[in-house]
Amino acid sequence: MKRIYNFSAGPAMLPEEVLREAAEEMLDYQGCGMSVMEMSHRSEMFENILSEAEQDLRSLMSIPDNYKVLFLQGGAHLQFAMLPINLMKNGAADYIITGHWAKRAYTEAKKFLKANAIASSEDKTFSYIPDCSDLPISDDADYVYICENNTIYGTKFHTLPNTKGKTLVADVSSCFLSEPMDVTRYGVIYGGAQKNIGPAGVVVAIIREDLIPDELPDQVPTMLRFKTHVDGGSMYNTPPCYGIYICGKVFKWIKKQGGLEGMKAINEKKAAVLYNYLDSSKLFHGTVEKSSRSLMNVPFVTGDKDLDAKFIKEASAAGFENLKGHRSVGGMRASIYNAMPIEGVQALVNFMKKFEAENS
């Protein structure tokens, strides 16, 4: 069996060790005679899987006791609506628009409250993170929203915005567990699992207790209330059981890498291999301002659409898959999440050097 190097932005590659463990347990999980896929979510065995996953995540991120951890469904898209519905008190929120997904969240929030776009980097195709040290924060804002790592455009908030005392909410889908983060600086942290921590179908949400409303208007659907899922322990309805099981295995794998400090060191080393080459190459060029570069998503171009297409085709034939960039940026994008080994990044750079020599 030959494994390719998968640079997909998501669903993305998972640690091979995790996949092999899951394969060994596919038909018989810990001697119970069935797969986790077949297991009742009300069984003691699955409740242990869920509980252990939560405790490992709490340990990795040093999540304080006054934050609830939820394993939800519906993707980040559902959170775009759940957040304004649950956090609305004054009926206003401030959004920092740094890419496609922040813009989607902002557009959705406008259906429920007064959403204010207080900063944006759209003027330069979202190629940088705007200065957020002195933003025009609204006096009545219930929260300030960011997408912390922008998957499509390859940018990252390396300094959190000054919210002037307002609650910070962050979509961290594409940088979840890639480096340490101070949970206490956020009111809500959430992200889809399908990029860095598990298969598609799971959303992890970390919510400070005081932000979970006891009462909401009667017309708010039961499933859209944070309290429903808190009271149900992430099991108000049947959860994405197998996805949670895989996430739990990834949490343990990250612990083996040295936790989030160890993961950050590995990710910085991987990213440096690719960025250093891009900075020295005469053919390939990064599209992001250096101060805003993501460790997870690296877009780059040649400046020639036909040459980009040739590179993507030849790279695929050589075992480097899913390098085509998003249509709004063009060119290529290498997503080098936690599970991508440094050998994969080095192999890609070696291939790029060869391509450059043959096409310069």
Side-chain angles (χ1 to χ4, degrees):
M1 179 191 71
K2 185 177 184 297
R3 295 272 292 168
I4 61 160
Y5 287 122
N6 178 10
F7 292 92
S8 172
M13 68 183 300
L14 288 162
E16 188 170 325
E17 178 183 323
V18 167
L19 293 174
R20 291 189 181 280
E21 281 183 14
E24 289 174 6
E25 295 174 346
M26 178 57 75
L27 295 176
D28 182 6
Y29 175 73
Q30 296 190 357
C32 73
M34 60 182 161
S35 171
V36 175
M37 284 189 184
E38 307 168 294
M39 193 178 288
S40 167
H41 65 294
R42 299 298 181 190
S43 67
E44 182 180 354
M45 189 160 280
F46 180 75
E47 287 181 358
N48 288 340
I49 290 171
L50 177 61
S51 174
E52 197 167 319
E54 179 179 335
Q55 291 311 311
D56 283 339
L57 182 62
R58 284 186 175 277
S59 173
L60 276 171
M61 297 182 71
S62 301
I63 300 173
D65 290 341
N66 66 321
Y67 284 74
K68 297 296 186 182
V69 175
L70 299 175
F71 294 89
L72 304 173
Q73 298 171 76
H77 279 81
L78 191 57
Q79 292 307 306
F80 296 166
M82 286 185 73
L83 287 161
I85 287 171
N86 285 270
L87 301 185
M88 181 167 47
K89 291 188 175 70
N90 300 322
D94 290 347
Y95 280 70
I96 300 171
I97 313 298
T98 52
H100 179 80
W101 301 116
K103 198 171 181 180
R104 279 274 184 95
Y106 165 69
T107 300
E108 190 74 1
K110 287 198 289 186
K111 297 176 181 178
F112 304 99
L113 45 65
K114 181 187 174 186
N116 308 299
I118 58 170
S120 173
S121 54
E122 192 167 9
D123 61 324
K124 295 183 180 178
T125 322
F126 300 120
S127 60
Y128 69 102
I129 297 295
D131 180 4
C132 296
S133 59
D134 187 19
L135 296 167
I137 304 293
S138 307
D139 290 339
D140 59 348
D142 292 317
Y143 59 90
V144 177
Y145 183 100
I146 63 170
C147 181
E148 191 157 329
N149 188 88
N150 295 283
T151 320
I152 292 173
Y153 299 95
T155 59
K156 168 77 163 65
F157 280 84
H158 295 295
T159 300
L160 292 178
N162 175 10
T163 65
K164 301 179 181 178
K166 301 296 185 180
T167 297
L168 179 62
V169 172
D171 173 355
V172 298
S173 294
S174 54
C175 61
F176 222 156
L177 303 185
S178 63
E179 60 184 344
M181 60 191 307
D182 181 357
V183 175
T184 64
R185 297 190 66 185
Y186 306 78
V188 182
I189 299 166
Y190 79 91
Q194 70 274 13
K195 300 176 185 294
N196 232 7
I197 57 174
V202 184
V203 176
V204 180
I206 302 164
I207 310 166
R208 204 174 66 223
E209 282 181 337
D210 63 289
L211 298 174
I212 301 165
D214 287 323
E215 299 292 336
L216 285 171
D218 289 343
Q219 64 266 33
V220 174
T222 304
M223 284 291 287
L224 297 187
R225 300 166 184 254
F226 282 149
K227 192 171 190 302
T228 297
H229 302 285
V230 169
D231 291 348
S234 295
M235 291 202 292
Y236 173 76
N237 66 323
T238 306
C241 299
Y242 198 78
I244 293 169
Y245 155 78
I246 297 292
C247 288
K249 286 193 174 297
V250 173
F251 299 155
K252 292 186 184 301
W253 176 81
I254 293 173
K255 284 188 170 185
K256 289 181 185 177
Q257 313 311 306
L260 297 187
E261 288 287 357
M263 208 71 253
K264 181 184 181 184
I266 294 167
N267 288 328
E268 287 178 338
K269 191 174 180 181
K270 285 190 304 190
V273 169
L274 184 48
Y275 282 126
N276 288 344
Y277 169 65
L278 288 172
D279 288 342
S280 65
S281 173
K282 292 181 180 177
L283 179 64
F284 296 102
H285 310 282
T287 61
V288 174
E289 291 186 6
K290 287 186 179 181
S291 62
S292 299
R293 283 174 168 174
S294 165
L295 293 179
M296 300 283 97
N297 310 100
V298 185
F300 56 97
V301 297
T302 65
D304 182 321
K305 289 183 179 180
D306 291 337
L307 200 55
D308 288 348
K310 183 182 180 186
F311 173 80
I312 292 163
K313 183 178 179 181
E314 292 186 11
S316 178
F320 304 100
E321 290 286 359
N322 297 309
L323 282 166
K324 186 176 181 180
H326 191 271
R327 61 186 176 276
S328 59
V329 179
M332 288 69 67
R333 172 180 52 179
S335 292
I336 50 176
Y337 298 123
N338 286 354
M340 173 61 69
I342 193 166
E343 293 81 8
V345 181
Q346 188 61 64
L348 174 63
V349 167
N350 290 340
F351 177 80
M352 292 169 73
K353 288 177 179 177
K354 176 175 175 287
F355 184 89
E356 180 169 4
E358 293 171 352
N359 292 273
S360 56

